[in-house]
Amino acid sequence: KDSPWGVIDDFICKSFKAARAASYSNTKLFYNDYNHASMQGDYKAKSDKVFNMIKSMKQRGENECPIDGVGFQNHININYDEANYESIRENIQRYADINVEVQFTETKLDAQNICRIANGLTGLRAPSKLRPPFMVKFFKFALSSLIAPLWKH
């Protein structure tokens, strides 16, 4: 997207350098964004673009373009299948491969239609899609991908 900051040459690296200079020595600098955790479907293009930008920053080095990590603002859609979860795991791994920390800065179970669906049902019975299998699938992913890597370091 166009940004008013785009008129400043190399504005992202200049911003990160200024932040590093103004921060405590143990402060970590993260690029944080949404819709780039999964590498499936509509998310793939942005996911690859963000990864390539972070990789380029990392390759330029600490003195020219400091970066410590990337933040995922993750909205887990109720229709996510195993391929979506696996692509997030793969995305985490490719950042690890270039020594970039990943943090889930926001994780939301995106089920905005649940209320509308539930309001149209009699007896307050939720559709099977909204029952435990969805929650089990999400928490299985969370335990294997989000919590476990914290203990590896």
Side-chain angles (χ1 to χ4, degrees):
K1 294 180 181 180
D2 290 333
S3 167
W5 295 104
V7 298
I8 302 171
D9 184 50
D10 203 23
F11 75 95
I12 293 175
C13 286
K14 287 179 180 174
S15 299
F16 275 75
K17 280 177 73 171
R20 180 70 87 211
S23 64
Y24 293 107
S25 61
N26 63 343
T27 301
K28 292 185 177 182
L29 300 180
F30 278 73
Y31 174 82
N32 188 50
D33 209 341
Y34 64 95
N35 287 345
H36 71 101
S38 175
M39 299 188 297
Q40 290 287 306
D42 295 340
Y43 304 111
K44 180 155 180 46
K46 183 170 184 180
S47 179
D48 288 344
K49 185 174 183 178
V50 170
F51 176 78
N52 290 329
M53 178 186 76
I54 300 298
K55 183 178 178 182
S56 172
M57 292 171 72
K58 195 72 172 172
Q59 289 171 337
R60 290 173 65 181
E62 175 68 22
N63 292 328
E64 191 176 330
C65 197
I67 182 82
D68 299 303
V70 63
F72 290 170
Q73 294 177 22
N74 200 23
H75 296 227
I76 303 290
N77 187 290
I78 199 163
N79 294 313
Y80 264 27
D81 58 15
E82 188 56 36
N84 284 102
Y85 292 115
E86 185 57 32
S87 76
I88 295 171
R89 287 184 198 97
E90 291 170 3
N91 206 9
I92 292 168
Q93 185 58 55
R94 71 178 177 169
Y95 281 104
D97 291 344
I98 62 168
N99 199 29
V100 171
E101 184 178 334
V102 173
Q103 290 187 2
F104 282 75
T105 56
E106 177 184 334
T107 299
K108 178 179 114 181
L109 295 179
D110 193 3
Q112 63 187 12
N113 292 320
I114 289 177
C115 292
R116 279 183 263 160
I117 292 169
N119 285 336
L121 300 172
T122 58
L124 299 175
R125 184 173 171 174
S128 62
K129 185 179 204 174
L130 306 180
R131 287 190 217 134
F134 167 67
M135 297 305 292
V136 168
K137 185 169 55 172
F138 170 74
F139 285 112
K140 179 181 170 187
F141 163 75
L143 288 172
S144 67
S145 299
L146 308 181
I147 297 169
L150 295 177
W151 294 103
K152 290 181 184 177
H153 300 287

